[in-house]
Amino acid sequence: MDFLHVHGLLIKQPNLLMSLLEMTNLDTWHPDICQLQKLKSYQSLNISDKEKIIHVTKGVLLQQVNNPEICKMNVNAIWSTNDIIFHNVFQQNQYEYLAIGDVEIELFDARSVLDEISKEPFFPDFLIDYNKRQQEEFFQFSYMLTKNIRERVLDVMKRFSKKLPDGYLVPKRVNSLLLAKCCQATPATVKKALDDLKHEKTIVKKEQNLFIQE
C-alpha cells in the first residue's frame, strides 16, 4: 500500500490506526502491547495519566473530564464503535471514561504503537487527520452549549440513536439522567424539554422506544 493510497483512505476513514497496525511487525497480541477489556453499562474505565490508545470495538464511551472547582464531571466527547482515542499522548488531561451499555475496548501502549508506525512515511498524515477529528469533537460539544436545551437534548439523543429513513430510534438506556450529563443541564430541565418535545410530537413512542421524527 503506497503513500497516495493511504492518504486517500485517511480522508474516507478517520480511524485508520488499526489498518496501519496490520501493516507493521508489531505483536499486537502481546499483553504488554494490547489488553482487551469489557465494561458493563455505567462502569468506568480509569487509566489515570498513562499514555494509552483506546480502540472502541463495541458500544459507546463517554469521555469525561473532572472539574474540581465545581465538583462536577463534565462530558467532553462521545466515542462509539471503531473510534480511536489517544489518552494523554499529546497533552496531559485527567480524562475518565464511562461505558454506556456494554462496551468492549482494546487498550494499547501508546509509545510502542507510535514508535512502530512512525517508521511509515504516511504517519504525519494520520496524526493530522486524527487531531482534526479530536478538535471537531471538542468544538461540537462547545458549540452545543450555545444552543437552547431542547436543541441540546435532540442533538445528544441522535448521537446515541439508530438512524432510520424517517428519523432516529432512541435506545432505552438514553434517559433523562444520561441526557443531563451530556447536555450539562439538570435532570429536571432535561425532563421538561423532553415533555415539550413529546407534546409537539417531535418525539413519539415507536416499538416501545422513543423515536425522533425528521
Side-chain angles (χ1 to χ4, degrees):
M1 185 178 290
D2 62 18
F3 175 83
L4 291 177
H5 191 187
V6 172
H7 185 77
L9 282 178
L10 284 170
I11 298 172
K12 301 173 186 175
Q13 184 180 336
N15 294 314
L16 191 60
L17 180 65
M18 304 315 297
S19 299
L20 300 185
L21 281 178
E22 291 175 1
M23 299 164 57
T24 70
N25 295 318
L26 191 67
D27 180 9
T28 55
W29 292 103
H30 195 286
D32 290 340
I33 303 298
C34 180
Q35 297 175 348
L36 306 180
Q37 290 194 24
K38 294 184 178 181
L39 306 173
K40 295 189 178 297
S41 190
Y42 293 103
Q43 182 179 349
S44 294
L45 171 68
N46 298 317
I47 48 181
S48 65
D49 59 350
K50 296 178 181 176
E51 294 183 341
K52 294 292 183 181
I53 297 175
I54 305 168
H55 176 217
V56 183
T57 58
K58 175 185 175 183
V60 175
L61 272 181
L62 295 188
Q63 180 175 290
Q64 306 178 125
V65 59
N66 189 22
N67 190 336
E69 294 181 1
I70 58 175
C71 299
K72 186 177 181 181
M73 189 76 76
N74 290 330
V75 174
N76 185 64
I78 299 174
W79 303 103
S80 55
T81 302
N82 292 327
D83 277 337
I84 298 291
I85 309 157
F86 285 179
H87 176 80
N88 276 350
V89 175
F90 302 113
Q91 57 185 2
Q92 294 297 307
N93 287 302
Q94 292 301 317
Y95 288 137
E96 294 185 8
Y97 304 89
L98 182 70
I100 302 302
D102 292 337
V103 174
E104 297 179 8
I105 64 169
E106 294 175 334
L107 199 60
F108 291 92
D109 177 72
R111 271 314 109 198
S112 300
V113 169
L114 295 178
D115 286 348
E116 186 64 32
I117 66 173
S118 64
K119 301 171 185 176
E120 303 293 340
F122 46 76
F123 180 64
D125 291 87
F126 171 75
L127 290 184
I128 291 170
D129 189 83
Y130 174 81
N131 284 329
K132 179 181 177 182
R133 188 161 188 272
Q134 286 278 74
Q135 289 176 354
E136 288 173 350
E137 190 77 23
F138 172 77
F139 285 119
Q140 184 170 11
F141 268 80
S142 299
Y143 177 66
M144 180 191 71
L145 297 180
T146 68
K147 299 180 179 181
N148 64 50
I149 188 60
R150 287 157 47 112
E151 291 174 317
R152 290 191 216 176
V153 167
L154 285 175
D155 284 352
V156 172
M157 289 179 79
K158 289 176 181 179
R159 292 288 299 274
F160 287 110
S161 302
K162 180 180 180 181
K163 179 73 170 74
L164 299 176
D166 53 346
Y168 294 82
L169 189 63
V170 184
K172 289 186 173 64
R173 66 175 178 268
V174 180
N175 54 35
S176 57
L177 291 177
L178 175 60
L179 291 172
K181 189 179 189 68
C182 295
C183 296
Q184 298 186 22
T186 65
T189 299
V190 168
K191 190 175 184 305
K192 184 179 185 308
L194 285 171
D195 289 341
D196 291 343
L197 291 165
K198 291 174 186 176
H199 180 72
E200 67 183 35
K201 299 195 182 305
T202 299
I203 296 177
V204 297
K205 277 280 188 179
K206 184 175 182 179
E207 301 175 10
Q208 302 303 312
N209 287 63
L210 294 179
F211 184 78
I212 302 172
Q213 301 193 105
E214 289 276 85

